[in-house]
Amino acid sequence: MIALPTPPTLSEPSTMVKTSYLVGEQADMLHRGSDTTWLRGASHDFDSFVADRVGVRQRWRVPSELFWFTSGEYYIGSLVIRHQLTSDEGGGHIGYHVVYPWQRQGHATRMLQDALVKCSALGIENALLTIAPENTASLTVMRRHGGIADGVNDEGDLRFWIKTLAAS
């Protein structure tokens, strides 16, 4: 296992992790059998790719922020916080993924913990997460944070509410 230079943190997307981002996302996509062609554009103009991902943006018709989980030049994963839910509550407040080479090392648990703090700062008292039923790793992470089941969304994903610090 690679020793990280510092504990990973959520931060704005940055060109500092270009190689690690591209390699990590490619490894993750290949591991899942997914299309990697989108990485070609990112690799040709990474500065613009990053600039398009910084700050609060309208995504899914709601204000959202993208964060990367990094340690020095190492990209570990990404996380999105929707500042409000979409009308169908399809994706919840928080979405995250850890790229394949860094999975099963506790990073997702830390990412969700940090995301709940950010949600609290936005005044979100209960954050909605939606998880595919077969995603046992995310279900474990959610349970570590006390998620409360709330049925299934229109896409067949399980819904869970997690209290943030704002609820205290």
Side-chain angles (χ1 to χ4, degrees):
M1 183 181 327
I2 295 171
L4 295 171
T6 59
T9 59
L10 290 177
S11 57
E12 283 190 341
S14 166
T15 58
M16 189 174 89
V17 297
K18 176 180 180 177
T19 300
S20 181
Y21 177 90
L22 294 169
V23 170
E25 287 291 342
Q26 178 175 288
D28 191 64
M29 301 302 282
L30 291 172
H31 176 73
R32 290 189 276 148
S34 298
D35 182 31
T36 61
T37 56
W38 66 272
L39 286 166
R40 191 168 293 123
S43 67
H44 287 298
D45 188 359
F46 198 70
D47 289 352
S48 292
F49 179 81
V50 168
D52 287 343
R53 284 153 178 76
V54 173
V56 177
R57 304 286 175 111
Q58 287 290 325
R59 297 178 182 97
W60 307 282
R61 297 177 307 279
V62 296
S64 304
E65 263 179 291
L66 175 66
F67 299 93
W68 287 353
F69 198 59
T70 61
S71 171
E73 77 265 17
Y74 295 100
Y75 167 81
I76 296 164
S78 63
L79 182 134
V80 172
I81 296 179
R82 292 184 180 108
H83 292 205
Q84 60 192 62
L85 293 173
T86 59
S87 58
D88 66 356
E89 297 184 353
H93 287 102
I94 302 169
Y96 58 89
H97 88 283
V98 175
V99 293
Y100 177 66
W102 294 102
Q103 291 175 359
R104 305 218 179 271
Q105 297 176 41
H107 297 301
T109 298
R110 174 69 190 278
M111 289 170 74
L112 180 54
Q113 176 182 333
D114 292 352
L116 292 169
V117 171
K118 289 186 178 294
C119 284
S120 177
L122 293 169
I124 299 168
E125 293 186 6
N126 293 292
L128 177 64
L129 274 72
T130 60
I131 303 171
E134 66 277 3
N135 189 341
T136 56
S138 280
L139 289 169
T140 299
V141 169
M142 174 276 308
R143 286 186 187 107
R144 286 183 182 137
H145 288 88
I148 298 169
D150 184 31
V152 178
N153 70 10
D154 291 342
E155 296 156 6
D157 292 334
L158 304 172
R159 294 167 41 102
F160 297 92
W161 293 95
I162 299 178
K163 290 191 180 301
T164 71
L165 297 176
S168 300

